[in-house]
Amino acid sequence: MNTCRFFHALLIFLLIPLCDALGKDRPNILLIMCDDMGWSDIGCYGGEVQTPNLDRLAAEGVRFTQFYNCAKCTTTRASIVTGLHPRRKGGLLKTNMVTTGEVLAAAGYQTSLSGKWHLGRGDTTHPYRRGFSEYYGLLDGCCNFFNPKQRDPKYKGGRIRKFGHNDRDLTEFPDGYY
């Protein structure tokens, strides 16, 4: 059994039946991943920044105390979503890789993903088609936070990043958007 299938089987075959057997509701699962943030940047990990809502979530749930990233945001995202060590050949998210969203949806969870996806935007790699029933965010890498449809600077190629809600491309953003 490969690592991906083991990771997802663990979620389905251990955690969910255990909760059912104990007569407890299935746990809510909220995974927050931030690029370029240190482990001690928020209050619950000893940081100086006051983060009372995140601290409360951490106190009532499970906190990771040890995690290794894969050196880049895309490879780290691929690893979290599939449970596999990422490989560049053929793309980071292939059709034979099961996503956490697909596994949780099959187990009866409602799934949602918000923020930067950066693992593809095609029919086989779009988050809305890979187990996440709701998606809102940036399908590409970084963009302008105030206007996601603003072109990249010329030195970055001048391209317009793809931003979407579920399977729709969003092209307009209200004044004051962030």
Side-chain angles (χ1 to χ4, degrees):
M1 178 179 279
N2 68 29
T3 306
C4 176
R5 300 233 186 265
F6 176 77
F7 172 74
H8 293 113
L10 179 68
L11 278 175
I12 290 176
F13 297 116
L14 294 178
L15 179 64
I16 295 168
L18 177 63
C19 291
D20 290 342
L22 295 174
K24 296 180 180 180
D25 292 331
R26 290 182 182 181
N28 291 318
I29 300 169
L30 174 64
L31 177 64
I32 301 171
M33 180 182 152
C34 298
D35 288 348
D36 304 320
M37 186 175 104
W39 69 270
S40 66
D41 286 347
I42 60 176
C44 64
Y45 287 101
E48 296 175 2
V49 176
Q50 298 298 309
T51 55
N53 293 323
L54 292 175
D55 297 348
R56 184 178 50 93
L57 284 169
E60 296 173 4
V62 175
R63 289 186 305 143
F64 291 130
T65 57
Q66 191 170 17
F67 180 81
Y68 298 95
N69 71 37
C70 299
K72 288 184 66 180
C73 65
T74 52
T75 51
T76 299
R77 277 179 170 72
S79 181
I80 287 174
V81 168
T82 65
L84 295 169
H85 188 75
R87 296 160 191 85
R88 279 278 183 202
K89 187 176 181 181
L92 292 171
L93 184 58
K94 301 173 189 157
T95 56
N96 66 342
M97 296 176 177
V98 180
T99 70
T100 305
E102 290 166 331
V103 170
L104 290 172
Y109 275 84
Q110 294 179 357
T111 59
S112 177
L113 190 138
S114 177
K116 183 170 78 170
W117 173 246
H118 211 185
L119 294 176
R121 50 183 163 154
D123 286 339
T124 61
T125 57
H126 193 290
Y128 187 65
R129 294 180 186 89
R130 295 304 302 266
F132 297 98
S133 57
E134 282 291 323
Y135 175 73
Y136 180 85
L138 183 65
L139 291 158
D140 296 322
C142 189
C143 70
N144 182 295
F145 297 129
F146 300 95
N147 179 2
K149 286 300 179 176
Q150 179 175 314
R151 287 189 177 280
D152 286 347
K154 287 184 181 181
Y155 73 88
K156 299 245 337 165
R159 66 185 258 215
I160 295 176
R161 303 296 179 143
K162 188 158 177 96
F163 198 98
H165 179 215
N166 295 337
D167 59 351
R168 295 176 308 147
D169 186 27
L170 297 180
T171 58
E172 295 181 14
F173 298 89
D175 290 339
Y177 182 86
Y178 182 82

